[in-house]
């Protein structure tokens, strides 16, 4: 019974890791598609936005 529970637990972990991997892969594919479609300006804009949001989050966490 115990080994069965461990097996089910491992299966759940593998499944959740697989789903997270799929989501990340999907996002990466979307980014690649958008860059391919709209070019480098979109990439630069997205990076600027990410950096800006990072700075805002950093400030709100520190104070």
């Amino acid at each position: 019974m115990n080994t069965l529970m461990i097996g089910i637990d491992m299966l759940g972990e593998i499944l959740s890791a697989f789903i997270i991997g799929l989501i990340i892969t999907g996002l990466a594919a979307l980014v690649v598609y958008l860059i391919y479609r709209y070019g480098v300006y979109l990439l630069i804009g997205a990076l600027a936005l990410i950096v800006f949001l990072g700075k805002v989050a950093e400030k709100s966490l520190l104070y």
Side-chain angles (χ1 to χ4, degrees):
M1 187 63 199
N2 203 13
T3 51
L4 183 70
M5 294 302 283
I6 290 166
I8 289 168
D9 195 47
M10 271 182 63
L11 217 113
E13 275 185 39
I14 292 166
L15 215 87
S16 68
F18 180 72
I19 289 165
I20 291 164
L22 270 180
I23 291 165
I24 291 166
T25 307
L27 286 172
L30 186 68
V31 167
V32 168
Y33 170 74
L34 286 172
I35 291 165
Y36 173 73
R37 193 100 165 91
Y38 299 109
V40 186
Y41 299 111
L42 191 87
L43 178 65
I44 293 165
L47 285 174
L49 185 69
I50 288 164
V51 169
F52 174 72
L53 288 173
K55 292 279 181 202
V56 169
E58 206 174 56
K59 280 207 169 63
S60 65
L61 283 173
L62 286 173
Y63 302 113

